Amino acid sequence: MRRRLLCLYEALLTRFGAQHWWPARTRFEVVVGAILTQNTAWGNVERALAALRAHRLLSPARLAALPAGRLAPLIRSSGYFRVKARRLKTFLAHLNGRYQGSLDRMSRVPLDDLRRELLAVPGVGPETADSILLYALGRPVFVVDAYTRRVLSRHRLLPRGAGYEEVRAFFERHLPGDPRLFNEYHALLVAVGKEHCRNLPHCEGCPLRFDLRGRPPRR
Ligand code: SF4
């Protein structure tokens, strides 16, 4: 399985090239972006981040000092902005209260403990927690999203309807625990999902078609 997964990875990398994720200027921006991107397209998040940047608010202390009622309109473009303002404030209260606003300090906690801790913060689900762990803190956690599940299911690598933890564990069990590999692999799965593996698969010309071995993708 390890060989097969690495073959898929190589095929994606050859076709799409390095994706340079996460598209953010600082680790703190990654964290904010990971919370804002829930249920919305990245372009909408970029506009919200630009507004926060323009107001010089992209630091744990400044953002924490801003009342949620003033934060919400600044992140309006990201959708569900009142909910997301509260979620950001809750996360910041955790980061500032426990780690004095330092992602460096947070990153020293053992991985399993830190993942459990992040998942206990209200508004932080598995994809958000793992995005923070991988893309902000460089920890070897595989981020799973709808594209990932779809590709794996269509290629019969996992049962249809496999849950988040099952998919994450599958990658982490079969691949070397290298954050750079996980970083790039996830980004490449998003790339193939957007270009080929949409609601209806466009297998013609897809770099992963070889792996279907002549069979149609599983529905
Ligand atoms: S589009 Fe087809 S070949 Fe490409 S990843 Fe999806 S199922 Fe596989």
Side-chain angles (χ1 to χ4, degrees):
M1 186 54 72
R2 176 181 173 128
R3 209 164 134 202
R4 184 173 171 194
L5 287 178
L6 289 173
C7 278
L8 294 174
Y9 173 76
E10 288 300 331
L12 289 171
L13 189 61
T14 301
R15 168 65 64 84
F16 297 112
Q19 299 294 297
H20 305 293
W21 273 36
W22 181 288
R25 298 185 187 180
T26 65
R27 296 196 303 171
F28 184 62
E29 280 196 26
V30 174
V31 172
V32 175
I35 292 169
L36 295 184
T37 200
Q38 296 165 350
N39 304 310
T40 195
W42 181 251
N44 299 329
V45 177
E46 279 184 329
R47 292 211 299 283
L49 286 173
L52 294 175
R53 203 178 293 122
H55 287 80
R56 298 179 166 276
L57 286 167
L58 280 171
S59 86
R62 288 194 203 133
L63 214 47
L66 190 72
R70 287 185 54 205
L71 173 58
L74 291 170
I75 59 170
R76 180 183 289 269
S77 68
S78 67
Y80 306 101
F81 55 98
R82 288 192 189 87
V83 173
K84 288 181 181 177
R86 281 199 300 277
R87 286 181 180 171
L88 269 176
K89 299 291 289 180
T90 303
F91 182 86
L92 285 163
H94 183 77
L95 179 65
N96 288 329
R98 191 148 185 170
Y99 301 105
Q100 294 77 51
S102 167
L103 289 172
D104 277 342
R105 280 189 194 164
M106 177 181 263
S107 73
R108 284 183 214 128
V109 177
L111 178 55
D112 289 346
D113 295 343
L114 183 53
R115 188 169 191 270
R116 258 194 305 277
E117 184 184 307
L118 289 175
L119 288 172
V121 176
V124 176
E127 188 177 342
T128 304
D130 292 342
S131 297
I132 292 169
L133 287 166
L134 178 65
Y135 289 107
L137 305 180
R139 309 304 286 273
V141 178
F142 204 96
V143 178
V144 175
D145 65 0
Y147 294 123
T148 315
R149 285 204 198 95
R150 189 186 284 166
V151 171
L152 261 61
S153 170
R154 285 179 173 164
H155 283 247
R156 300 173 177 82
L157 283 158
L158 279 176
R160 194 176 24 227
Y164 187 100
E165 293 302 332
E166 191 179 350
V167 181
R168 180 178 74 85
F170 174 79
F171 278 105
E172 292 179 11
R173 191 167 60 245
H174 292 297
L175 289 174
D178 176 357
R180 285 169 305 177
L181 174 65
F182 289 1
N183 174 328
E184 198 62 60
Y185 210 147
H186 172 69
L188 288 165
L189 285 167
V190 172
V192 78
K194 285 184 174 165
E195 192 155 329
H196 288 279
C197 212
R198 304 184 204 152
N199 285 343
L200 283 178
H202 296 258
C203 301
E204 187 71 37
C206 177
L208 302 188
R209 190 175 187 183
F210 74 95
D211 184 67
L212 291 173
R213 302 152 196 227
R215 290 193 292 176
R218 181 165 66 196
R219 286 170 174 265

